[in-house]
Amino acid sequence: MSEPLLPPIGMLAELTHRCPLQCPYCSNPTELLKANRELDTQSWLDLFDQAADLGVLQVHLSGGEPTLRRDLEQMVAGLSARGVYTNLITAGVGIAEGRIRALAEAGLDHVQLSIQGARAATTERIGHYRGGHEKKLETARRVRVAGLPLTINAPIHRHNIEEVPEFIELALSLGAERLEIANVQYSGWALVNRDALMPDRASVERQIEVVAQAQERLRGIMNIDFVTPDYFATYPKPCMGGWARDAFMVAPDGTVLPCHAAHTIRTLTFERFGERSLADIWTNSPAFNAFRGTDWMQEPCRSCERREIDWGGCRCQAMAIAGDPAATDPACIKSPIHARMGMLVADAMAAAKAETAGNATAEPFVYRRITTVSEPAS
């Protein structure tokens, strides 16, 4: 039996798809929205007011690069006035001097800074942005000078997984309270680049050992969160805490979604804020109710003792790999196609080997750009 519907407590606001970086692992959709399709200032402020009325306690301001919105301070101030906790998720490049302090004065509570490599060359290669590493380090220093808590987000894949020990030391040197070792999740641009990004199992196992040792060593000094790589997992993670269970996201054009990749489920229709109220969408949207709770589950999920732990895992991953959003997440060992995850890893390793053998000089990535790119078949 499904649990009663509770108000959401968290919201991810993708304010824009514009970004100075071109990261090939980006979770944004491959069909990026241009600036003329973004909600205007007042629409975002109205949306945030309705979110606070609905019960949202924290809003993650993301993108693309949210600091490209000139009205960001106004949004932060509006949320702060409602007592909503705000977290800025930023690439940390192209931010004018004084902007971080201005955001802090507007009421910003926290900054999460993404760094693509612990080494400058890696950061520049992945982000496709010259001088990006130094700009990120300067942003981190400005965050600390402004008195804001800092999280370093390290998106991990084949091309930087051996830098995990250096990421830990870098985060410490920057005075971060938290480090997120976030193994890339294969949706959006990361799915397009899966063969180029997938690490091998030995590297993943070394990474897990390094992180576990650091978590113990730095207990009480710096929190280290570890996002498990799904393709090497035994059990899946709950999607956003469970599909439309306690959080949601909003795309730059106001489309309200249960998670950032939900648009890939083409059988569902997602509504836009303004056409319906946020409360109405949260409560009554057929798309939000499609995979809520447990009643929708097929076997083996329906009778599984973990059904209210992982809530069936990721519906978008089931869609991408099984071709059915209601299927058991293939990351789960109980999935009848769990072995396909290993096959996809093997395919990626074969592609990497062929690339090395061919002495390829071109980058293996499809870099993130505002254009339409087809996602690979599962």
Side-chain angles (χ1 to χ4, degrees), residues 109-300:
D109 293 296
H110 183 273
V111 174
Q112 179 174 316
L113 172 64
S114 66
I115 301 183
Q116 286 65 44
R119 306 166 192 166
T122 306
T123 299
E124 293 191 10
R125 180 190 179 201
I126 301 302
H128 221 230
Y129 188 95
R130 184 172 296 178
H133 195 75
E134 290 74 18
K135 293 179 186 297
K136 289 169 181 289
L137 300 188
E138 179 58 31
T139 294
R141 287 189 281 269
R142 291 175 180 175
V143 169
R144 303 306 286 132
V145 168
L148 291 169
L150 174 66
T151 290
I152 298 299
N153 174 262
I156 302 299
H157 45 78
R158 182 194 306 158
H159 301 274
N160 66 4
I161 195 167
E162 300 303 333
E163 297 178 26
V164 167
E166 296 166 66
F167 269 118
I168 295 168
E169 297 309 313
L170 177 61
L172 276 171
S173 72
L174 294 173
E177 285 85 0
R178 177 172 168 265
L179 168 64
E180 185 176 67
I181 301 294
N183 284 275
V184 164
Q185 307 298 297
Y186 293 96
S187 62
W189 292 84
L191 184 57
V192 172
N193 286 290
R194 182 171 56 194
D195 281 356
L197 293 169
M198 185 76 71
D200 59 70
R201 181 170 293 277
S203 296
V204 170
E205 290 175 351
R206 283 195 301 273
Q207 172 197 218
I208 291 171
E209 184 177 348
V210 166
V211 171
Q213 290 174 354
Q215 286 172 326
E216 182 63 30
R217 173 171 59 90
L218 298 173
R219 193 181 305 276
I221 299 172
M222 182 176 71
N223 292 326
I224 302 179
D225 291 340
F226 183 70
V227 179
T228 306
D230 283 343
Y231 283 59
F232 300 89
T234 302
Y235 295 110
K237 297 185 293 291
C239 171
M240 295 277 286
W243 179 276
R245 184 166 174 265
D246 59 19
F248 62 94
M249 71 145 289
V250 182
D253 66 351
T255 301
V256 186
L257 301 153
C259 72
H260 66 273
H263 66 277
T264 61
I265 303 177
R266 304 295 186 184
T267 54
L268 300 179
T269 300
F270 298 100
E271 289 128 334
R272 292 179 61 190
F273 173 75
E275 297 170 357
R276 296 177 68 178
S277 71
L278 204 55
D280 189 25
I281 293 172
W282 175 258
T283 305
N284 300 313
S285 167
F288 271 61
N289 285 319
F291 303 114
R292 249 183 188 137
T294 59
D295 288 347
W296 60 272
M297 291 181 179
Q298 305 172 0
E299 293 294 352

Side-chain angles (χ1 to χ4, degrees), residues 87-118:
N87 173 37
L88 174 65
I89 302 175
T90 178
V93 301
I95 301 177
E97 186 173 358
R99 188 87 191 276
I100 296 296
R101 183 172 293 280
L103 288 164
E105 291 172 353
L108 185 67
D109 293 296
H110 183 273
V111 174
Q112 179 174 316
L113 172 64
S114 66
I115 301 183
Q116 286 65 44

